[in-house]
Amino acid sequence: MSDPANKDDSGLSPADYETFCTYLRERTGLSFTEAKRYYVDRRVAERMAAVGADSFRDYLNLLRFQASGEELQLLVNLMTVNETYFFREKYQLDCLVNSALDEVVRARRPGSRVRIWSAGCATGEEPYSIAIMLLEYWKRVDEFEIELYASDIDSRVLARAREGIYEERALHAVPQELVAKYFTQLDSRRWQIMEELRESIDFSLVNIADPKQVAGFQSFDVIFCRNLLIYFDDLGRRQAAAMFYEALSPCGFIALGHSESMSRMSSLFVPRRFPDAILYQKPQT
């Protein structure tokens, strides 16, 4: 039991904060340090008030034992940050269509599957950007059966991704001719991506720190996991890297965010330097 005398005026006691962060890290992979104390306190307090929890212990018991997991999902939705836009870190998308995919299909027959996973897809800008890049810039796009998967731990952003409605800020890096080609303007502020692209991507609610939830994610040729593992601690990153290794086909590629390096997480992958970007490859077994 935490000592009320040690309770911080801003929220959880030091012991409760540590207990909560440990619980959240074990369940979701998300890791919060003392520097995020105010951010975490506010969101826990908001959810405690919403469910009428009299104490942190009561709230933690709800998180741990609620059969539906609904409260944990609502809390996770508050904890995650989902700021992104179309064609973000485009050099990696260029690498995909200029180099990586040609290597992936080099020994494959036309009509074979090509599987791509956007992990931590947020509101959908990344997987939709991948789809547009394939259609516009990969010359062999019509020769293969392309499967695009996208996942996130936040149910709210997945609903927005499926809806595919965006404001100008999200589209600022998209050439106007592509906006006109792939989006319908709904009003002065909002555009919706075309239905064909919305239906071409399989969006799913996935916690990549849960082995049961990622067990079915296998045989991918390319995985984009950009700026997601920065929210994990070192152990969580190593575990995620091992999971992605298992999810990739031999010689498959993973793209990380510009500030991330697989060499600091795992020795399983081989860095591959292409003209446009560095990707990490699962070796041929």
Side-chain angles (χ1 to χ4, degrees), residues 171-216:
L171 298 171
H172 76 270
V174 183
Q176 283 303 306
E177 61 269 21
L178 296 185
V179 173
K181 185 174 182 179
Y182 292 104
F183 295 81
T184 299
Q185 187 165 0
L186 302 179
D187 52 41
S188 61
R189 297 174 50 250
R190 301 179 304 150
W191 287 258
Q192 185 171 33
I193 200 159
M194 62 191 296
E195 183 178 4
E196 183 179 356
L197 286 189
R198 298 201 306 273
E199 294 180 350
S200 72
I201 299 173
D202 185 336
F203 289 100
S204 55
L205 183 68
V206 174
N207 172 7
I208 68 168
D210 186 338
K212 293 180 180 179
Q213 293 190 33
V214 296

mmCIF file of all heavy atoms in Angstrom, residues 171-216:
data_model
loop_
_atom_site.group_PDB
_atom_site.id
_atom_site.type_symbol
_atom_site.label_atom_id
_atom_site.label_comp_id
_atom_site.label_asym_id
_atom_site.label_seq_id
_atom_site.Cartn_x
_atom_site.Cartn_y
_atom_site.Cartn_z
ATOM 1 N N LEU A 171 -2.085 16.822 -45.231
ATOM 2 C CA LEU A 171 -1.850 16.680 -46.672
ATOM 3 C C LEU A 171 -0.795 17.632 -47.210
ATOM 4 O O LEU A 171 -0.569 17.688 -48.421
ATOM 5 C CB LEU A 171 -3.163 16.920 -47.435
ATOM 6 C CG LEU A 171 -4.304 15.949 -47.137
ATOM 7 C CD1 LEU A 171 -5.592 16.424 -47.790
ATOM 8 C CD2 LEU A 171 -3.963 14.553 -47.607
ATOM 9 N N HIS A 172 -0.121 18.374 -46.337
ATOM 10 C CA HIS A 172 0.737 19.458 -46.814
ATOM 11 C C HIS A 172 1.897 18.978 -47.685
ATOM 12 O O HIS A 172 2.396 19.725 -48.527
ATOM 13 C CB HIS A 172 1.267 20.275 -45.627
ATOM 14 C CG HIS A 172 2.362 19.603 -44.861
ATOM 15 N ND1 HIS A 172 2.127 18.777 -43.777
ATOM 16 C CD2 HIS A 172 3.714 19.619 -45.016
ATOM 17 C CE1 HIS A 172 3.275 18.330 -43.312
ATOM 18 N NE2 HIS A 172 4.259 18.817 -44.038
ATOM 19 N N ALA A 173 2.325 17.717 -47.512
ATOM 20 C CA ALA A 173 3.463 17.214 -48.290
ATOM 21 C C ALA A 173 3.038 16.441 -49.533
ATOM 22 O O ALA A 173 3.890 15.926 -50.256
ATOM 23 C CB ALA A 173 4.338 16.318 -47.406
ATOM 24 N N VAL A 174 1.750 16.359 -49.779
ATOM 25 C CA VAL A 174 1.245 15.612 -50.936
ATOM 26 C C VAL A 174 1.100 16.564 -52.124
ATOM 27 O O VAL A 174 0.437 17.599 -52.004
ATOM 28 C CB VAL A 174 -0.117 14.967 -50.625
ATOM 29 C CG1 VAL A 174 -0.595 14.118 -51.813
ATOM 30 C CG2 VAL A 174 -0.038 14.123 -49.365
ATOM 31 N N PRO A 175 1.699 16.246 -53.276
ATOM 32 C CA PRO A 175 1.529 17.104 -54.461
ATOM 33 C C PRO A 175 0.046 17.284 -54.798
ATOM 34 O O PRO A 175 -0.750 16.355 -54.643
ATOM 35 C CB PRO A 175 2.260 16.329 -55.560
ATOM 36 C CG PRO A 175 3.255 15.484 -54.835
ATOM 37 C CD PRO A 175 2.603 15.110 -53.529
ATOM 38 N N GLN A 176 -0.304 18.459 -55.253
ATOM 39 C CA GLN A 176 -1.707 18.774 -55.511
ATOM 40 C C GLN A 176 -2.346 17.827 -56.511
ATOM 41 O O GLN A 176 -3.526 17.473 -56.395
ATOM 42 C CB GLN A 176 -1.846 20.225 -55.979
ATOM 43 C CG GLN A 176 -1.743 21.241 -54.858
ATOM 44 C CD GLN A 176 -2.774 21.006 -53.773
ATOM 45 O OE1 GLN A 176 -3.979 20.924 -54.040
ATOM 46 N NE2 GLN A 176 -2.302 20.895 -52.534
ATOM 47 N N GLU A 177 -1.567 17.369 -57.490
ATOM 48 C CA GLU A 177 -2.156 16.465 -58.474
ATOM 49 C C GLU A 177 -2.534 15.117 -57.852
ATOM 50 O O GLU A 177 -3.500 14.467 -58.285
ATOM 51 C CB GLU A 177 -1.198 16.251 -59.651
ATOM 52 C CG GLU A 177 0.144 15.630 -59.295
ATOM 53 C CD GLU A 177 1.205 16.658 -58.968
ATOM 54 O OE1 GLU A 177 0.841 17.807 -58.617
ATOM 55 O OE2 GLU A 177 2.401 16.314 -59.088
ATOM 56 N N LEU A 178 -1.791 14.721 -56.809
ATOM 57 C CA LEU A 178 -2.134 13.469 -56.133
ATOM 58 C C LEU A 178 -3.306 13.663 -55.168
ATOM 59 O O LEU A 178 -4.108 12.745 -54.970
ATOM 60 C CB LEU A 178 -0.925 12.909 -55.393
ATOM 61 C CG LEU A 178 0.258 12.503 -56.277
ATOM 62 C CD1 LEU A 178 1.355 11.835 -55.436
ATOM 63 C CD2 LEU A 178 -0.180 11.570 -57.402
ATOM 64 N N VAL A 179 -3.411 14.836 -54.573
ATOM 65 C CA VAL A 179 -4.587 15.142 -53.756
ATOM 66 C C VAL A 179 -5.836 15.064 -54.627
ATOM 67 O O VAL A 179 -6.839 14.447 -54.253
ATOM 68 C CB VAL A 179 -4.463 16.531 -53.103
ATOM 69 C CG1 VAL A 179 -5.775 16.897 -52.389
ATOM 70 C CG2 VAL A 179 -3.299 16.564 -52.118
ATOM 71 N N ALA A 180 -5.775 15.668 -55.803
ATOM 72 C CA ALA A 180 -6.926 15.661 -56.701
ATOM 73 C C ALA A 180 -7.258 14.249 -57.181
ATOM 74 O O ALA A 180 -8.426 13.909 -57.398
ATOM 75 C CB ALA A 180 -6.648 16.569 -57.900
ATOM 76 N N LYS A 181 -6.247 13.421 -57.332
ATOM 77 C CA LYS A 181 -6.433 12.072 -57.869
ATOM 78 C C LYS A 181 -6.980 11.094 -56.838
ATOM 79 O O LYS A 181 -7.809 10.227 -57.168
ATOM 80 C CB LYS A 181 -5.109 11.557 -58.421
ATOM 81 C CG LYS A 181 -5.187 10.207 -59.120
ATOM 82 C CD LYS A 181 -3.851 9.863 -59.762
ATOM 83 C CE LYS A 181 -3.903 8.543 -60.517
ATOM 84 N NZ LYS A 181 -2.616 8.230 -61.163
ATOM 85 N N TYR A 182 -6.526 11.219 -55.592
ATOM 86 C CA TYR A 182 -6.844 10.204 -54.593
ATOM 87 C C TYR A 182 -7.770 10.667 -53.478
ATOM 88 O O TYR A 182 -8.153 9.857 -52.627
ATOM 89 C CB TYR A 182 -5.545 9.672 -53.977
ATOM 90 C CG TYR A 182 -4.716 8.864 -54.955
ATOM 91 C CD1 TYR A 182 -3.575 9.405 -55.546
ATOM 92 C CD2 TYR A 182 -5.086 7.571 -55.306
ATOM 93 C CE1 TYR A 182 -2.821 8.675 -56.451
ATOM 94 C CE2 TYR A 182 -4.343 6.833 -56.215
ATOM 95 C CZ TYR A 182 -3.212 7.391 -56.779
ATOM 96 O OH TYR A 182 -2.470 6.662 -57.684
ATOM 97 N N PHE A 183 -8.151 11.939 -53.461
ATOM 98 C CA PHE A 183 -8.988 12.469 -52.399
ATOM 99 C C PHE A 183 -10.204 13.197 -52.963
ATOM 100 O O PHE A 183 -10.142 13.778 -54.050
ATOM 101 C CB PHE A 183 -8.207 13.448 -51.518
ATOM 102 C CG PHE A 183 -7.076 12.826 -50.746
ATOM 103 C CD1 PHE A 183 -5.850 12.588 -51.354
ATOM 104 C CD2 PHE A 183 -7.232 12.475 -49.409
ATOM 105 C CE1 PHE A 183 -4.795 12.020 -50.650
ATOM 106 C CE2 PHE A 183 -6.185 11.908 -48.700
ATOM 107 C CZ PHE A 183 -4.970 11.676 -49.318
ATOM 108 N N THR A 184 -11.279 13.166 -52.192
ATOM 109 C CA THR A 184 -12.470 13.960 -52.484
ATOM 110 C C THR A 184 -12.570 15.066 -51.449
ATOM 111 O O THR A 184 -12.523 14.790 -50.242
ATOM 112 C CB THR A 184 -13.739 13.089 -52.418
ATOM 113 O OG1 THR A 184 -13.654 12.055 -53.399
ATOM 114 C CG2 THR A 184 -14.986 13.931 -52.672
ATOM 115 N N GLN A 185 -12.690 16.300 -51.897
ATOM 116 C CA GLN A 185 -12.812 17.414 -50.951
ATOM 117 C C GLN A 185 -14.238 17.457 -50.417
ATOM 118 O O GLN A 185 -15.202 17.580 -51.172
ATOM 119 C CB GLN A 185 -12.437 18.739 -51.615
ATOM 120 C CG GLN A 185 -12.385 19.883 -50.627
ATOM 121 C CD GLN A 185 -11.668 21.106 -51.177
ATOM 122 O OE1 GLN A 185 -11.196 21.098 -52.305
ATOM 123 N NE2 GLN A 185 -11.591 22.153 -50.370
ATOM 124 N N LEU A 186 -14.372 17.349 -49.092
ATOM 125 C CA LEU A 186 -15.683 17.335 -48.459
ATOM 126 C C LEU A 186 -16.188 18.731 -48.148
ATOM 127 O O LEU A 186 -17.388 19.002 -48.240
ATOM 128 C CB LEU A 186 -15.628 16.508 -47.166
ATOM 129 C CG LEU A 186 -15.177 15.043 -47.314
ATOM 130 C CD1 LEU A 186 -15.142 14.371 -45.947
ATOM 131 C CD2 LEU A 186 -16.083 14.283 -48.269
ATOM 132 N N ASP A 187 -15.286 19.616 -47.734
ATOM 133 C CA ASP A 187 -15.634 21.002 -47.457
ATOM 134 C C ASP A 187 -14.337 21.805 -47.493
ATOM 135 O O ASP A 187 -13.322 21.317 -47.993
ATOM 136 C CB ASP A 187 -16.366 21.148 -46.110
ATOM 137 C CG ASP A 187 -15.624 20.489 -44.946
ATOM 138 O OD1 ASP A 187 -14.374 20.614 -44.897
ATOM 139 O OD2 ASP A 187 -16.270 19.867 -44.093
ATOM 140 N N SER A 188 -14.348 23.007 -46.949
ATOM 141 C CA SER A 188 -13.166 23.863 -47.041
ATOM 142 C C SER A 188 -11.998 23.358 -46.206
ATOM 143 O O SER A 188 -10.854 23.785 -46.405
ATOM 144 C CB SER A 188 -13.522 25.288 -46.594
ATOM 145 O OG SER A 188 -13.963 25.294 -45.240
ATOM 146 N N ARG A 189 -12.243 22.423 -45.292
ATOM 147 C CA ARG A 189 -11.199 21.979 -44.367
ATOM 148 C C ARG A 189 -10.850 20.500 -44.474
ATOM 149 O O ARG A 189 -9.816 20.085 -43.983
ATOM 150 C CB ARG A 189 -11.637 22.263 -42.918
ATOM 151 C CG ARG A 189 -11.829 23.722 -42.596
ATOM 152 C CD ARG A 189 -12.393 23.920 -41.196
ATOM 153 N NE ARG A 189 -11.657 23.184 -40.182
ATOM 154 C CZ ARG A 189 -12.145 22.124 -39.530
ATOM 155 N NH1 ARG A 189 -13.363 21.679 -39.810
ATOM 156 N NH2 ARG A 189 -11.416 21.525 -38.613
ATOM 157 N N ARG A 190 -11.709 19.694 -45.100
ATOM 158 C CA ARG A 190 -11.532 18.247 -45.006
ATOM 159 C C ARG A 190 -11.544 17.573 -46.381
ATOM 160 O O ARG A 190 -12.300 17.967 -47.273
ATOM 161 C CB ARG A 190 -12.624 17.636 -44.140
ATOM 162 C CG ARG A 190 -12.677 18.179 -42.720
ATOM 163 C CD ARG A 190 -13.809 17.524 -41.956
ATOM 164 N NE ARG A 190 -15.082 17.713 -42.646
ATOM 165 C CZ ARG A 190 -16.107 16.849 -42.595
ATOM 166 N NH1 ARG A 190 -16.005 15.755 -41.860
ATOM 167 N NH2 ARG A 190 -17.224 17.095 -43.253
ATOM 168 N N TRP A 191 -10.682 16.543 -46.478
ATOM 169 C CA TRP A 191 -10.613 15.712 -47.670
ATOM 170 C C TRP A 191 -10.728 14.251 -47.236
ATOM 171 O O TRP A 191 -10.219 13.866 -46.167
ATOM 172 C CB TRP A 191 -9.279 15.898 -48.391
ATOM 173 C CG TRP A 191 -9.126 17.194 -49.110
ATOM 174 C CD1 TRP A 191 -9.237 17.424 -50.453
ATOM 175 C CD2 TRP A 191 -8.794 18.467 -48.527
ATOM 176 N NE1 TRP A 191 -8.999 18.742 -50.753
ATOM 177 C CE2 TRP A 191 -8.731 19.406 -49.577
ATOM 178 C CE3 TRP A 191 -8.548 18.907 -47.218
ATOM 179 C CZ2 TRP A 191 -8.432 20.744 -49.371
ATOM 180 C CZ3 TRP A 191 -8.268 20.234 -47.000
ATOM 181 C CH2 TRP A 191 -8.203 21.150 -48.071
ATOM 182 N N GLN A 192 -11.377 13.425 -48.060
ATOM 183 C CA GLN A 192 -11.480 11.995 -47.768
ATOM 184 C C GLN A 192 -10.792 11.192 -48.859
ATOM 185 O O GLN A 192 -11.002 11.410 -50.053
ATOM 186 C CB GLN A 192 -12.936 11.548 -47.662
ATOM 187 C CG GLN A 192 -13.084 10.087 -47.236
ATOM 188 C CD GLN A 192 -14.515 9.713 -46.920
ATOM 189 O OE1 GLN A 192 -15.451 10.231 -47.515
ATOM 190 N NE2 GLN A 192 -14.704 8.808 -45.957
ATOM 191 N N ILE A 193 -9.950 10.241 -48.423
ATOM 192 C CA ILE A 193 -9.254 9.408 -49.386
ATOM 193 C C ILE A 193 -10.252 8.481 -50.080
ATOM 194 O O ILE A 193 -11.266 8.085 -49.506
ATOM 195 C CB ILE A 193 -8.116 8.612 -48.707
ATOM 196 C CG1 ILE A 193 -7.099 8.126 -49.733
ATOM 197 C CG2 ILE A 193 -8.649 7.482 -47.860
ATOM 198 C CD1 ILE A 193 -5.750 7.788 -49.171
ATOM 199 N N MET A 194 -9.985 8.152 -51.317
ATOM 200 C CA MET A 194 -10.932 7.421 -52.149
ATOM 201 C C MET A 194 -11.284 6.067 -51.535
ATOM 202 O O MET A 194 -10.475 5.417 -50.862
ATOM 203 C CB MET A 194 -10.371 7.238 -53.554
ATOM 204 C CG MET A 194 -9.096 6.427 -53.629
ATOM 205 S SD MET A 194 -8.301 6.484 -55.258
ATOM 206 C CE MET A 194 -9.558 5.674 -56.248
ATOM 207 N N GLU A 195 -12.520 5.635 -51.785
ATOM 208 C CA GLU A 195 -13.026 4.406 -51.180
ATOM 209 C C GLU A 195 -12.183 3.190 -51.563
ATOM 210 O O GLU A 195 -11.965 2.289 -50.745
ATOM 211 C CB GLU A 195 -14.478 4.190 -51.607
ATOM 212 C CG GLU A 195 -15.127 2.965 -50.977
ATOM 213 C CD GLU A 195 -16.578 2.808 -51.384
ATOM 214 O OE1 GLU A 195 -17.055 3.612 -52.214
ATOM 215 O OE2 GLU A 195 -17.216 1.870 -50.884
ATOM 216 N N GLU A 196 -11.710 3.132 -52.787
ATOM 217 C CA GLU A 196 -10.916 1.992 -53.231
ATOM 218 C C GLU A 196 -9.683 1.787 -52.355
ATOM 219 O O GLU A 196 -9.325 0.650 -52.021
ATOM 220 C CB GLU A 196 -10.492 2.181 -54.691
ATOM 221 C CG GLU A 196 -9.712 1.009 -55.263
ATOM 222 C CD GLU A 196 -9.335 1.221 -56.717
ATOM 223 O OE1 GLU A 196 -9.746 2.257 -57.295
ATOM 224 O OE2 GLU A 196 -8.623 0.368 -57.259
ATOM 225 N N LEU A 197 -9.036 2.882 -51.965
ATOM 226 C CA LEU A 197 -7.871 2.764 -51.094
ATOM 227 C C LEU A 197 -8.284 2.433 -49.665
ATOM 228 O O LEU A 197 -7.595 1.668 -48.981
ATOM 229 C CB LEU A 197 -7.043 4.049 -51.121
ATOM 230 C CG LEU A 197 -6.223 4.296 -52.383
ATOM 231 C CD1 LEU A 197 -5.291 5.480 -52.188
ATOM 232 C CD2 LEU A 197 -5.418 3.069 -52.761
ATOM 233 N N ARG A 198 -9.382 2.984 -49.202
ATOM 234 C CA ARG A 198 -9.845 2.664 -47.845
ATOM 235 C C ARG A 198 -10.133 1.169 -47.710
ATOM 236 O O ARG A 198 -9.858 0.560 -46.686
ATOM 237 C CB ARG A 198 -11.101 3.470 -47.484
ATOM 238 C CG ARG A 198 -10.896 4.978 -47.477
ATOM 239 C CD ARG A 198 -11.949 5.694 -46.660
ATOM 240 N NE ARG A 198 -13.320 5.378 -47.039
ATOM 241 C CZ ARG A 198 -13.998 6.002 -47.992
ATOM 242 N NH1 ARG A 198 -13.431 6.975 -48.699
ATOM 243 N NH2 ARG A 198 -15.252 5.660 -48.244
ATOM 244 N N GLU A 199 -10.661 0.589 -48.756
ATOM 245 C CA GLU A 199 -11.013 -0.830 -48.714
ATOM 246 C C GLU A 199 -9.822 -1.739 -48.983
ATOM 247 O O GLU A 199 -9.903 -2.950 -48.753
ATOM 248 C CB GLU A 199 -12.131 -1.115 -49.721
ATOM 249 C CG GLU A 199 -13.448 -0.435 -49.365
ATOM 250 C CD GLU A 199 -14.543 -0.718 -50.372
ATOM 251 O OE1 GLU A 199 -14.224 -1.282 -51.442
ATOM 252 O OE2 GLU A 199 -15.710 -0.388 -50.090
ATOM 253 N N SER A 200 -8.723 -1.172 -49.459
ATOM 254 C CA SER A 200 -7.571 -2.000 -49.826
ATOM 255 C C SER A 200 -6.656 -2.307 -48.644
ATOM 256 O O SER A 200 -5.745 -3.132 -48.767
ATOM 257 C CB SER A 200 -6.752 -1.306 -50.923
ATOM 258 O OG SER A 200 -6.052 -0.172 -50.398
ATOM 259 N N ILE A 201 -6.881 -1.650 -47.506
ATOM 260 C CA ILE A 201 -6.006 -1.808 -46.342
ATOM 261 C C ILE A 201 -6.767 -2.488 -45.217
ATOM 262 O O ILE A 201 -7.893 -2.113 -44.886
ATOM 263 C CB ILE A 201 -5.455 -0.446 -45.886
ATOM 264 C CG1 ILE A 201 -4.617 0.184 -47.007
ATOM 265 C CG2 ILE A 201 -4.622 -0.596 -44.620
ATOM 266 C CD1 ILE A 201 -4.175 1.594 -46.729
ATOM 267 N N ASP A 202 -6.160 -3.492 -44.636
ATOM 268 C CA ASP A 202 -6.738 -4.226 -43.517
ATOM 269 C C ASP A 202 -6.259 -3.579 -42.217
ATOM 270 O O ASP A 202 -5.124 -3.772 -41.794
ATOM 271 C CB ASP A 202 -6.299 -5.691 -43.592
ATOM 272 C CG ASP A 202 -6.951 -6.567 -42.528
ATOM 273 O OD1 ASP A 202 -7.373 -6.030 -41.483
ATOM 274 O OD2 ASP A 202 -7.026 -7.787 -42.734
ATOM 275 N N PHE A 203 -7.126 -2.787 -41.592
ATOM 276 C CA PHE A 203 -6.800 -2.124 -40.324
ATOM 277 C C PHE A 203 -7.222 -3.016 -39.162
ATOM 278 O O PHE A 203 -8.329 -3.560 -39.154
ATOM 279 C CB PHE A 203 -7.526 -0.785 -40.205
ATOM 280 C CG PHE A 203 -7.008 0.290 -41.120
ATOM 281 C CD1 PHE A 203 -7.660 0.582 -42.305
ATOM 282 C CD2 PHE A 203 -5.876 1.017 -40.786
ATOM 283 C CE1 PHE A 203 -7.193 1.582 -43.152
ATOM 284 C CE2 PHE A 203 -5.393 2.010 -41.616
ATOM 285 C CZ PHE A 203 -6.059 2.296 -42.799
ATOM 286 N N SER A 204 -6.359 -3.153 -38.152
ATOM 287 C CA SER A 204 -6.704 -3.992 -37.017
ATOM 288 C C SER A 204 -6.107 -3.444 -35.731
ATOM 289 O O SER A 204 -5.055 -2.793 -35.738
ATOM 290 C CB SER A 204 -6.234 -5.437 -37.237
ATOM 291 O OG SER A 204 -4.855 -5.480 -37.516
ATOM 292 N N LEU A 205 -6.799 -3.711 -34.634
ATOM 293 C CA LEU A 205 -6.368 -3.287 -33.298
ATOM 294 C C LEU A 205 -5.377 -4.320 -32.772
ATOM 295 O O LEU A 205 -5.748 -5.467 -32.518
ATOM 296 C CB LEU A 205 -7.582 -3.185 -32.373
ATOM 297 C CG LEU A 205 -7.329 -2.680 -30.947
ATOM 298 C CD1 LEU A 205 -6.916 -1.217 -30.960
ATOM 299 C CD2 LEU A 205 -8.586 -2.878 -30.097
ATOM 300 N N VAL A 206 -4.116 -3.915 -32.621
ATOM 301 C CA VAL A 206 -3.065 -4.858 -32.238
ATOM 302 C C VAL A 206 -2.130 -4.204 -31.226
ATOM 303 O O VAL A 206 -1.652 -3.089 -31.447
ATOM 304 C CB VAL A 206 -2.247 -5.322 -33.470
ATOM 305 C CG1 VAL A 206 -1.067 -6.182 -33.029
ATOM 306 C CG2 VAL A 206 -3.124 -6.097 -34.436
ATOM 307 N N ASN A 207 -1.870 -4.918 -30.153
ATOM 308 C CA ASN A 207 -0.853 -4.557 -29.176
ATOM 309 C C ASN A 207 0.379 -5.383 -29.501
ATOM 310 O O ASN A 207 0.398 -6.598 -29.274
ATOM 311 C CB ASN A 207 -1.374 -4.864 -27.772
ATOM 312 C CG ASN A 207 -0.331 -4.699 -26.693
ATOM 313 O OD1 ASN A 207 0.786 -4.232 -26.938
ATOM 314 N ND2 ASN A 207 -0.684 -5.090 -25.477
ATOM 315 N N ILE A 208 1.426 -4.772 -30.041
ATOM 316 C CA ILE A 208 2.575 -5.549 -30.497
ATOM 317 C C ILE A 208 3.375 -6.144 -29.340
ATOM 318 O O ILE A 208 4.247 -6.975 -29.559
ATOM 319 C CB ILE A 208 3.509 -4.731 -31.409
ATOM 320 C CG1 ILE A 208 4.205 -3.609 -30.629
ATOM 321 C CG2 ILE A 208 2.769 -4.207 -32.625
ATOM 322 C CD1 ILE A 208 5.342 -2.969 -31.403
ATOM 323 N N ALA A 209 3.058 -5.734 -28.104
ATOM 324 C CA ALA A 209 3.720 -6.315 -26.939
ATOM 325 C C ALA A 209 3.013 -7.574 -26.456
ATOM 326 O O ALA A 209 3.492 -8.221 -25.522
ATOM 327 C CB ALA A 209 3.800 -5.292 -25.808
ATOM 328 N N ASP A 210 1.903 -7.926 -27.079
ATOM 329 C CA ASP A 210 1.135 -9.102 -26.690
ATOM 330 C C ASP A 210 1.379 -10.220 -27.700
ATOM 331 O O ASP A 210 0.908 -10.147 -28.836
ATOM 332 C CB ASP A 210 -0.354 -8.768 -26.636
ATOM 333 C CG ASP A 210 -1.204 -9.912 -26.105
ATOM 334 O OD1 ASP A 210 -0.749 -11.069 -26.164
ATOM 335 O OD2 ASP A 210 -2.333 -9.652 -25.655
ATOM 336 N N PRO A 211 2.116 -11.270 -27.327
ATOM 337 C CA PRO A 211 2.431 -12.342 -28.282
ATOM 338 C C PRO A 211 1.202 -12.965 -28.923
ATOM 339 O O PRO A 211 1.240 -13.353 -30.101
ATOM 340 C CB PRO A 211 3.196 -13.366 -27.428
ATOM 341 C CG PRO A 211 3.768 -12.566 -26.300
ATOM 342 C CD PRO A 211 2.747 -11.499 -26.015
ATOM 343 N N LYS A 212 0.103 -13.067 -28.187
ATOM 344 C CA LYS A 212 -1.108 -13.665 -28.744
ATOM 345 C C LYS A 212 -1.674 -12.814 -29.881
ATOM 346 O O LYS A 212 -2.183 -13.347 -30.865
ATOM 347 C CB LYS A 212 -2.159 -13.840 -27.642
ATOM 348 C CG LYS A 212 -1.784 -14.866 -26.583
ATOM 349 C CD LYS A 212 -2.873 -14.986 -25.542
ATOM 350 C CE LYS A 212 -2.506 -16.010 -24.466
ATOM 351 N NZ LYS A 212 -3.562 -16.114 -23.421
ATOM 352 N N GLN A 213 -1.584 -11.498 -29.739
ATOM 353 C CA GLN A 213 -2.171 -10.625 -30.752
ATOM 354 C C GLN A 213 -1.341 -10.551 -32.029
ATOM 355 O O GLN A 213 -1.867 -10.278 -33.096
ATOM 356 C CB GLN A 213 -2.380 -9.222 -30.182
ATOM 357 C CG GLN A 213 -3.421 -9.162 -29.083
ATOM 358 C CD GLN A 213 -3.779 -7.745 -28.693
ATOM 359 O OE1 GLN A 213 -3.777 -6.829 -29.509
ATOM 360 N NE2 GLN A 213 -4.094 -7.549 -27.420
ATOM 361 N N VAL A 214 -0.041 -10.796 -31.928
ATOM 362 C CA VAL A 214 0.808 -10.708 -33.121
ATOM 363 C C VAL A 214 1.112 -12.082 -33.710
ATOM 364 O O VAL A 214 1.801 -12.172 -34.724
ATOM 365 C CB VAL A 214 2.130 -9.974 -32.815
ATOM 366 C CG1 VAL A 214 1.860 -8.537 -32.417
ATOM 367 C CG2 VAL A 214 2.918 -10.689 -31.718
ATOM 368 N N ALA A 215 0.588 -13.131 -33.098
ATOM 369 C CA ALA A 215 0.906 -14.483 -33.559
ATOM 370 C C ALA A 215 0.512 -14.706 -35.013
ATOM 371 O O ALA A 215 1.183 -15.433 -35.749
ATOM 372 C CB ALA A 215 0.219 -15.515 -32.661
ATOM 373 N N GLY A 216 -0.566 -14.074 -35.443
ATOM 374 C CA GLY A 216 -1.025 -14.264 -36.816
ATOM 375 C C GLY A 216 -0.339 -13.389 -37.848
ATOM 376 O O GLY A 216 -0.606 -13.525 -39.047
#
